[in-house]
Amino acid sequence: MSDPATVSVTPGLVRARELLDDAKFDQAGKYLIGFLRRYPDHPQALAHLGEAANRLGALGQAEQFYRRAIARGAKDFDTRRQLASVLNQQERPLVAIPMFEALAAERPDPTLRGTLASLWDKTGQSDEAREVYRELAETLVSNPLMWISYGHSLRANGQVEEAVDAYRRAIAIDDGFGDAWWGLASIKRRILTDEDIATMQAALAIAVDERNSAPLNFTLARAFHDRGQYEEAFEHYSAGNAIRAQSLKYDAAELSAEVDEIIRDVSAPFLASLPTDPIGDDVPVFIVSLPRSGSTLLEQMLGSHSQVEAVGELPYIPAILRSFMEMATRWGKITVPEAIRSLSNQEALLFGKDYLARAAVHRTQRTRLFIDKLPHNWSNILFIKKILPQARFIDIRRPAMDCCFSNFTQSFTSAHAASFALEDVGQCYADNVRLLAHLDNVAPGMINHVDYSALVDDPQSEIGGVLNYLGLTWEDAVLEFHRLDRVVRTPSSEQVRRPLNRDGMAVWKPYSQWLDPLRNALGDLAEDS
């Protein structure tokens, strides 16, 4: 075989580059594998293969190819930046941050600084992140994104008036930028003016990018809702969700099939066979509920207890599960429950240690118990139980119509894809109920349940039951949760800074006449009044 150093290989890589630029990533990958059979360990080919794997979602493989490329001499800026990006996508901030810091020191790129700020924000360095967002917003005078990021950071820190000003600054730069308007709409009071409505309607009429048209629709819906114009509001909620649903192609049947498989195959003996020895001393407490269920309120109350630390929505369980499934499906299709059953105890131990190490970045207190309230984890309970034997689970359930309609009114990202159609969010709620009911049947007491309505009406009784489940004694501070000083990054960030109230109750009723698809999906779970 000829030495690639003495052979012109540029034409072959030009063809690979063309395939990548044309978004033909699978073809590019196959082409590059053939190229590497002729020229093993060619650094540029490995870097291109890393790019193909990354674009196909195979992050573990992408990391390996990029690392091999760099080890073989591809130490150029773009290859190192791509590796750092993959590590960020894998939710590995401790590894990604020093790489981005080195890149930012090497080249004064505002995008790199913005990425660094988002990583610092994720890992609890919120003050540092906020300052970078402010500096970038004031420097990049024609870019609304930094003002929006700055606004989000201010709002999460409880600085609502400053957040409003930041969102307004973004709108002043581009009054058709949908996310800036949604930032305003997410403020929990009537803030949108008649002039705002006229401006948004004009922007929507000429919007061509769904990243603007969808949030513009959601924001107009919120403005009409605040004015009691519910028909107009529902039209815009429906339009915004339809735009998101069309681009995502979410299939509710996939989740239902996974729940069916768990109900069919996961028995009491199987759960009893899982590892029981705790990994380390820390005890993660997972709030396993749908979005908009009251989980932020529950987290805030429990986080006010001296023996519990609230650390927010950690992305690490889905990230670790994704890496595991990438390996498990490399040689053929396999379902998540099948993969979990095949997971060895030694592999599970390593995954558990990995989760605790990543979560430790967010810990500032020396409590044994800490709360991870990422909503997606309700469907990951089996995986969590396998890798973290000491984990505790709390489900908080908001009435079905309120919970589902509240999801439908949020301009969520693709992470909450079920929320973009009434029938899909209803089916998701029903699947959640089915799964947790089955786990209650085969593992009584594994999951503690909280009724949201009862929590609002009789907080001491409801939260007292949770403390008993966690082995904690009563502290009056849990009823003074609104005094807890912490960053809250969810849509409920303002509500949890006020005493208990009934503002979120019966939000669906003004829209009742349009909610039959939701009722049909919920069946007996739907409330009549």
Side-chain angles (χ1 to χ4, degrees):
M1 180 180 296
S2 301
D3 185 342
T6 63
V7 177
S8 175
V9 297
T10 302
L13 293 184
V14 167
R15 176 58 181 155
R17 184 72 260 166
E18 290 173 348
L19 290 169
L20 290 169
D21 291 343
D22 289 341
K24 297 177 180 177
F25 306 119
D26 191 54
Q27 291 181 43
K30 291 176 182 178
Y31 188 92
L32 286 160
I33 288 171
F35 182 93
L36 285 163
R37 288 196 181 106
R38 288 177 286 138
Y39 306 113
D41 292 335
H42 188 286
Q44 190 179 1
L46 286 167
H48 284 343
L49 191 54
E51 181 179 349
N54 183 16
R55 299 300 293 269
L56 289 168
L59 300 180
Q61 293 181 60
E63 179 191 352
Q64 293 177 26
F65 292 134
Y66 281 130
R67 288 193 183 281
R68 284 176 59 191
I70 292 169
R72 300 308 188 275
K75 302 182 187 296
D76 58 284
F77 186 88
D78 287 340
T79 300
R80 288 180 287 122
R81 182 173 185 161
Q82 290 299 323
L83 174 59
S85 176
V86 166
L87 295 169
N88 189 18
Q89 292 177 72
Q90 290 176 313
E91 303 294 352
R92 294 165 62 187
L94 282 186
V95 186
I97 286 173
M99 295 189 70
F100 276 109
E101 287 175 337
L103 290 164
E106 186 175 330
R107 184 176 296 180
D109 183 342
T111 304
L112 287 172
R113 292 194 69 209
T115 301
L116 258 178
S118 71
L119 283 164
W120 288 337
D121 216 0
K122 283 182 182 179
T123 53
Q125 300 176 68
S126 301
D127 293 342
E128 295 89 337
R130 196 175 308 113
E131 182 59 23
V132 171
Y133 287 140
R134 185 192 62 76
E135 291 175 4
L136 289 174
E138 293 177 347
T139 302
L140 305 175
V141 294
S142 62
N143 187 342
L145 279 171
M146 287 303 125
W147 282 111
I148 295 170
S149 297
Y150 184 43
H152 291 342
S153 181
L154 289 165
R155 181 171 176 259
N157 198 47
Q159 297 171 259
V160 176
E161 296 305 323
E162 294 90 339
V164 170
D165 180 65
Y167 296 137
R168 291 284 185 193
R169 295 284 292 270
I171 291 166
I173 295 170
D174 182 354
D175 64 12
F177 207 91
D179 283 343
W181 286 108
W182 180 248
L184 276 184
S186 64
I187 303 296
K188 300 302 180 185
R189 68 173 188 267
R190 180 169 170 168
I191 199 168
L192 296 161
T193 67
D194 292 344
E195 182 180 352
D196 288 335
I197 291 176
T199 302
M200 285 188 286
Q201 287 173 326
L204 184 60
I206 60 173
V208 294
D209 190 335
E210 67 182 38
R211 291 173 296 181
N212 290 326
S213 57
L216 279 168
N217 271 297
F218 279 105
T219 306
L220 281 165
R222 185 64 54 84
F224 285 124
H225 171 87
D226 289 344
R227 287 159 174 76
Q229 297 174 238
Y230 299 120
E231 183 171 3
E232 292 90 339
F234 188 76
E235 288 175 357
H236 282 288
Y237 282 136
S238 298
N241 278 299
I243 292 168
R244 290 272 167 79
Q246 184 176 13
S247 65
L248 289 175
K249 310 296 184 187
Y250 173 75
D251 185 359
E254 293 182 4
L255 178 59
S256 296
E258 185 175 316
V259 172
D260 288 341
E261 183 179 354
I262 293 173
I263 292 173
R264 183 181 67 245
D265 296 341
V266 173
S267 62
F270 171 78
L271 288 171
S273 72
L274 296 179
T276 57
D277 292 337
I279 301 172
D281 295 326
D282 290 343
V283 179
V285 180
F286 294 90
I287 298 181
V288 287
S289 305
L290 296 182
R292 314 302 297 147
S293 292
S295 58
T296 305
L297 170 63
L298 178 60
E299 178 201 33
Q300 188 84 347
M301 296 178 81
L302 292 174
S304 299
H305 194 286
S306 65
Q307 300 303 309
V308 181
E309 182 174 9
V311 295
E313 299 181 356
L314 303 184
Y316 304 128
I317 287 295
I320 294 169
L321 177 58
R322 176 178 178 170
S323 296
F324 168 54
M325 290 303 296
E326 183 183 331
M327 294 185 292
T329 58
R330 187 170 296 181
W331 307 114
K333 188 174 182 180
I334 185 173
T335 66
V336 172
E338 287 172 340
I340 293 172
R341 286 196 295 272
S342 70
L343 178 62
S344 73
N345 289 348
Q346 183 58 34
E347 289 175 309
L349 175 66
L350 295 176
F351 284 140
K353 287 182 176 179
D354 185 14
Y355 170 83
L356 292 173
R358 299 195 204 191
V361 178
H362 303 262
R363 305 293 310 277
T364 60
Q365 302 173 25
R366 295 184 177 181
T367 62
R368 289 183 62 243
L369 297 160
F370 69 92
I371 300 172
D372 179 344
K373 65 169 290 289
L374 188 73
H376 311 81
N377 282 333
W378 72 265
S379 60
N380 298 330
I381 292 175
L382 280 183
F383 182 67
I384 296 170
K385 190 64 178 171
K386 182 71 179 276
I387 71 170
L388 292 163
Q390 72 269 38
R392 311 306 299 271
F393 304 96
I394 304 171
D395 160 52
I396 180 168
R397 188 166 303 286
R398 187 178 176 189
M401 295 292 286
D402 267 344
C403 178
C404 294
F405 184 69
S406 183
N407 274 271
F408 187 72
T409 65
Q410 291 292 314
S411 182
F412 279 133
T413 67
S414 59
H416 301 298
S419 69
F420 301 136
L422 289 170
E423 53 270 33
D424 288 346
V425 72
Q427 185 59 54
C428 184
Y429 189 102
D431 285 335
N432 172 277
V433 172
R434 290 194 305 127
L435 175 62
L436 270 58
H438 174 71
L439 294 176
D440 284 342
N441 183 50
V442 297
M446 183 174 80
I447 303 169
N448 181 255
H449 298 279
V450 176
D451 183 291
Y452 174 79
S453 300
L455 180 65
V456 172
D457 291 337
D458 185 8
Q460 187 160 347
S461 177
E462 280 295 298
I463 206 72
V466 179
L467 295 180
N468 288 337
Y469 167 75
L470 296 176
L472 299 174
T473 57
W474 177 263
E475 290 182 3
D476 289 339
V478 298
L479 298 182
E480 298 293 320
F481 62 90
H482 52 284
R483 302 183 187 278
L484 184 64
D485 183 18
R486 56 181 286 261
V487 172
V488 181
R489 296 183 178 85
T490 74
S492 301
S493 62
E494 291 155 71
Q495 288 139 300
V496 297
R497 292 188 169 98
R498 296 185 290 138
L500 277 174
N501 58 78
R502 301 181 63 83
D503 288 355
M505 311 291 274
V507 294
W508 62 274
K509 287 188 176 181
Y511 300 89
S512 179
Q513 62 181 303
W514 302 294
L515 300 184
D516 282 345
L518 176 57
R519 290 189 185 88
N520 293 337
L522 288 171
D524 293 340
L525 295 170
E527 308 96 77
D528 294 329
S529 60

